[in-house]
């Protein structure tokens, strides 16, 4: 598949690119194309050292939309409106939200927008797109640690069955990830809230890069 | 430890009793003592067949409070007020909430009270007790299936460090459960919301008795 990552120069975005580009065509997008170019170079070096094949291309955020079948929003939830403002052509596309809005007080607090979750807000901002929440609970460190398999569960939810199915295929094509159908997009708050939960667990239980497995 | 289960005749309560009574003294409580007696008999038969030791006693909900160091509220969240109304002597006690308020629409929806979660509401109703959220995400079927180890993660949160520590000890004493310190009681909504999430996953992904493991 052709997958593009808006905000692909962040830790999660780069980590996803490292894993996905081994079997898919991946576009790393950024507001500033030079940043995308630098991220692609860095990821390319790592994959070359490991002797792994990859198909990885830098572009702008608009370039991601133009080139990709599946567009991943890997940006801080608070940047959502301003990122979408400049983009055209998202109608009909599969759009993945892995955003987990949170704030730090004396613990990490889930901080959803009024719409209930970042994914629900994205769907409202893009009523003509097919929003799917997925990949919310995989720590950046685990994405990037290519020497280890990624053996986590990935909750996938959406109001569009065809889009959900396609994203579940994508999930199951990556390392040892296992896609789970969690139902409609209305369950996305529970999935997003797991991320502050595991960050709290990591902090209070002195662990690192905690992910989730359902069994 | 002496552990009492208010609402111990339900599926989760009986399952907990089966597991805990092998190494702790467990009081099964009910509004109606005869129901507690029947549940104790049933659990006792199962444990005898398996040749397992157990220490299991029937009592009323008030009996649970009187006899136990740790009191577990294993009741539907909507019965909380009316269950507490009749009870005395909970001051200073460790009180475990494993309640997950939810409603069923076209999917299972987390339905917390105004206070933010069932555990936070319980703490408000019992300001002199030490409320700990724990055991929220273990399916009844897995509690009861004594032929299988219980190898799940158990998120534990509380505003009382001594109570949290003691409950984590209790968790770690049962089968292969692993207690994780998730921080203050304010994170309990994220833990409670995992239960409707896994019920949705079970339904939409055609699985049964889905539990959670953090790694």
């Amino acid at each position: 598949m052709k997958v593009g990552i808006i905000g692909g120069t962040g830790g999660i975005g780069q980590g996803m690119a490292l894993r996905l580009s081994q079997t898919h065509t991946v576009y790393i997008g950024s507001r500033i194309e030079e940043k995308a170019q630098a991220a692609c170079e860095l990821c390319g070096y790592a994959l070359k050292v490991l002797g792994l094949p990859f198909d990885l291309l830098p572009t702008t955020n608009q370039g991601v939309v133009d080139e990709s079948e599946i567009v991943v929003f890997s940006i801080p939830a608070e940047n959502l409106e301003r990122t979408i403002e400049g983009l055209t052509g998202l109608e009909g596309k599969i759009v993945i939200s892995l955003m987990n809005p949170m704030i730090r007080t004396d613990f990490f607090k889930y901080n959803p927008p009024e719409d209930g979750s970042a994914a629900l807000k994205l769907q409202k901002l893009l009523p003509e797109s097919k929003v799917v929440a997925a990949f919310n609970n995989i720590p950046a460190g685990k994405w990037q640690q290519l020497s280890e398999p990624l053996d986590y569960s990935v909750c996938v939810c959406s109001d569009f069955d065809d889009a959900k199915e396609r994203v579940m295929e994508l999930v199951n094509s990556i390392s040892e990830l296992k896609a789970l159908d969690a139902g409609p997009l209305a369950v996305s708050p529970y999935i997003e809230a797991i991320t502050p939960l595991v960050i709290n667990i990591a902090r209070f239980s002195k662990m690192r890069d905690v992910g989730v497995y359902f069994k």
Side-chain angles (χ1 to χ4, degrees), chain A:
Chain A
M1 304 182 199
K2 288 181 172 185
V3 183
I5 307 171
I6 289 180
T9 60
I12 299 263
Q14 283 194 18
M16 282 191 84
L18 284 167
R19 300 274 184 175
L20 272 68
S21 67
Q22 296 174 41
T23 44
H24 302 278
T25 301
V26 173
Y27 296 89
I28 287 192
S30 173
R31 271 188 311 127
I32 301 146
E33 197 168 349
E34 287 70 30
K35 280 182 72 178
Q37 218 136 21
C40 277
E41 257 185 47
L42 180 63
C43 292
Y45 288 139
L47 290 159
K48 266 179 209 154
V49 164
L50 293 164
L52 295 167
F54 62 94
D55 188 3
L56 191 54
L57 297 155
T59 184
T60 58
N61 287 337
Q62 183 60 50
V64 162
V65 180
D66 296 339
E67 300 294 338
S68 313
E69 304 163 63
I70 297 181
V71 175
V72 182
F73 274 82
S74 177
I75 56 171
E78 60 269 27
N79 295 352
L80 197 49
E81 268 120 337
R82 93 180 72 135
T83 303
I84 285 180
E85 232 172 38
L87 300 175
T88 58
L90 280 159
E91 298 80 8
K93 297 243 183 203
I94 297 173
V95 174
I96 295 179
S97 169
L98 49 71
M99 296 174 286
N100 307 298
M102 56 184 134
I103 48 172
R104 187 175 181 164
T105 57
D106 49 331
F107 67 101
F108 287 85
K109 193 173 173 340
Y110 180 48
N111 186 39
E114 263 182 34
D115 308 281
S117 76
L120 287 163
K121 180 175 177 179
L122 185 57
Q123 184 66 78
K124 200 174 172 188
L125 290 169
L126 300 174
E128 305 296 319
S129 305
K130 297 175 176 184
V131 172
V132 181
F135 300 116
N136 293 75
N137 309 133
I138 303 174
K142 295 289 183 190
W143 277 116
Q144 293 175 1
Q145 203 176 344
L146 293 174
S147 58
E148 297 287 332
L150 261 184
D151 57 343
Y152 290 112
S153 300
V154 175
C155 299
V156 182
C157 69
S158 176
D159 294 333
F160 299 90
D161 285 346
D162 57 335
K164 184 159 64 176
E165 213 167 287
R166 199 133 170 73
V167 171
M168 289 178 73
E169 266 173 50
L170 177 67
V171 169
N172 289 328
S173 75
I174 303 165
S175 191
E176 295 170 22
L177 292 183
K178 198 185 158 198
L180 295 173
D181 185 346
L185 202 64
V187 310
S188 56
Y190 322 153
I191 301 171
E192 294 180 2
I194 288 176
T195 296
L197 175 64
V198 293
I199 295 176
N200 287 313
I201 287 172
R203 181 175 157 206
F204 290 102
S205 298
K206 299 186 176 55
M207 294 164 73
R208 279 194 65 177
D209 290 336
V210 180
V212 63
Y213 195 85
F214 293 101
K215 60 177 188 181

